[in-house]
Amino acid sequence: GAVVSQHPSWVICKSGTSVKIECRSLDFQATTMFWYRQFPKQSLMLMATSNEGSKATYEQGVEKDKFLINHASLTLSTLTVTSAHPEDSSFYICSARTSGTQYFGPGTRLTVL
Amino acid sequence: QKEVEQNSGPLSVPEGAIASLNCTYSDRGSQSFFWYRQYSGKSPELIMFIYSNGDKEDGRFTAQLNKASQYVSLLIRDSQPSDSATYLCAVNRYNTDKLIFGTGTRLQVFP
């Protein structure tokens, strides 16, 4: 149980375009999901907390207008990186919370050319 | 002082030995403690969690929590080369959904 999926697993896009990443809890409902970013050889950095039916809560320094989060249902949260730039290239990982524990998706590797 | 501190390693142990990974945290209000394993290029996977003082065993893994000392550890018995990964300690503070992660300890198990 407690399986979280992400799609796509990797994406390459041109600078200035937008990319949407989906995070799904497959076998449980999650009122709260989280989005992290991880640069090579660095630790996880929490970007935002996504709450079903309400606005996401962003961490300090994360631009909410650049990283749009939508948690439209109890099993789906999406992260849209708008007007992507090469410095946005990173490993984006979501997690979903159930029974007090966070389970991570497999991650999405974004490369912006 | 970081909220959750781990030695970055690498911690090198021979196959079959016990690997001991340590983590300290600064917030006494912390309630839940988690260990995740992250292989290079992959996302973290949950190994185990612990809420109460003492030991909790799951197969080859034992988590130990000492709230008075603000210390949580993970023991891996009969270490295997496949255990080579970065181990992340995470702490859930009281009344919050967020996890605070340490920077991780890299474990190397050599044959």
Side-chain angles (χ1 to χ4, degrees), chain B residues 82-96:
Chain B
S82 58
D83 294 326
S84 299
T86 296
Y87 289 79
L88 301 169
C89 171
V91 172
N92 196 188
R93 279 190 264 128
Y94 173 74
N95 213 25
T96 175

Side-chain angles (χ1 to χ4, degrees), chain B residues 40-62:
Chain B
S40 180
K42 303 294 185 182
S43 69
E45 56 178 315
L46 180 70
I47 297 175
M48 59 193 307
F49 56 84
I50 186 167
Y51 300 146
S52 305
N53 275 328
D55 295 359
K56 179 181 178 183
E57 188 174 316
D58 183 359
R60 294 187 297 114
F61 299 98
T62 299

Side-chain angles (χ1 to χ4, degrees), chain A residues 32 34 36 38 43-44 46 49 59 91 93 97 99-107 109, chain B residues 32 34 36 38 41-46 49 51 88 92 96-99 101-104:
Chain A
T32 305
F34 303 85
Y36 295 83
Q38 188 174 37
S43 189
L44 289 169
L46 178 65
T49 302
E59 294 299 298
F91 190 39
I93 314 171
R97 189 170 187 263
S99 301
T101 301
Q102 284 189 35
Y103 296 89
F104 285 85
R109 197 161 299 282
Chain B
S32 313
F34 303 83
Y36 290 86
Q38 186 175 24
K42 303 294 185 182
S43 69
E45 56 178 315
L46 180 70
F49 56 84
Y51 300 146
L88 301 169
N92 196 188
T96 175
D97 289 339
K98 295 195 297 187
L99 285 180
F101 281 88
T103 53

Side-chain angles (χ1 to χ4, degrees), chain B residues 1 14 16-17 26 35 51-52 64 77 81 101 105-106 110-111:
Chain B
Q1 182 190 11
S26 61
W35 283 100
Y51 300 146
S52 305
Q64 299 175 317
R77 288 182 297 282
F101 281 88
T105 298
R106 189 157 64 94
F110 55 92

Side-chain angles (χ1 to χ4, degrees), chain A residues 30-33 50-55 71-76:
Chain A
T31 54
T32 305
M33 293 184 175
S50 169
N51 298 296
E52 188 266 338
S54 65
K55 290 184 180 180
H71 194 154
S73 77
L74 288 172
T75 58
L76 173 64

